[in-house]
Amino acid sequence: HLVIVWLKKHGDEAARKDYIDGSKKLAKLPGVLSYHIGTPATIKHEHPSPSLDNSYDVAVTSTFENQQALEDYAKHSEHKKIIHEHLKPLVEKYKVYDFVE
């Protein structure tokens, strides 16, 4: 489960910290095996690729026990509460990518 987030206050360190702190609460929900959150890396490339996109503010990757655990996580009442009350008010737009191994 990969979530890429652009904040309303793009580039604002306090807004990024607020989002990250709120998001970390989601790591404790049932079915989550791993949860990582961070900001774009500032890596200097000798030949930058046009496909390299660091325009976002925060990225979250999480791994779940199985697909059902991911579905249950998305429906969990605490997930909905954190998303709607804390995270969504900070967000301009986001993209979600789900995949299975």
Side-chain angles (χ1 to χ4, degrees):
H1 182 67
L2 170 65
V3 182
I4 307 296
V5 178
W6 291 262
L7 298 174
K8 290 177 183 173
K9 292 183 179 180
H10 180 65
D12 183 87
E13 290 303 318
R16 284 179 174 173
K17 183 179 181 331
D18 196 16
Y19 186 94
I20 289 168
D21 290 347
S23 181
K24 286 180 180 178
K25 297 172 187 172
L26 297 173
K28 296 176 173 83
L29 293 180
V32 178
L33 297 177
S34 68
Y35 195 91
H36 305 280
I37 185 166
T39 58
T42 53
I43 300 170
K44 296 182 183 190
H45 297 276
E46 186 174 327
H47 303 288
S49 169
S51 62
L52 178 63
D53 179 3
N54 62 357
S55 67
Y56 63 96
D57 286 289
V58 179
V60 180
T61 62
S62 47
T63 305
F64 295 85
E65 293 172 356
N66 52 41
Q67 188 168 338
Q68 185 62 53
L70 171 57
E71 292 173 17
D72 293 345
Y73 166 86
K75 293 185 267 185
H76 194 282
S77 61
E78 190 64 17
H79 178 268
K80 290 180 180 181
K81 179 180 178 186
I82 292 167
I83 294 293
H84 292 290
E85 292 180 10
H86 189 86
L87 303 180
K88 208 167 191 181
L90 300 169
V91 173
E92 177 70 30
K93 72 174 186 172
Y94 64 97
K95 295 282 186 179
V96 177
Y97 303 92
D98 290 316
F99 58 93
V100 295
E101 282 188 36

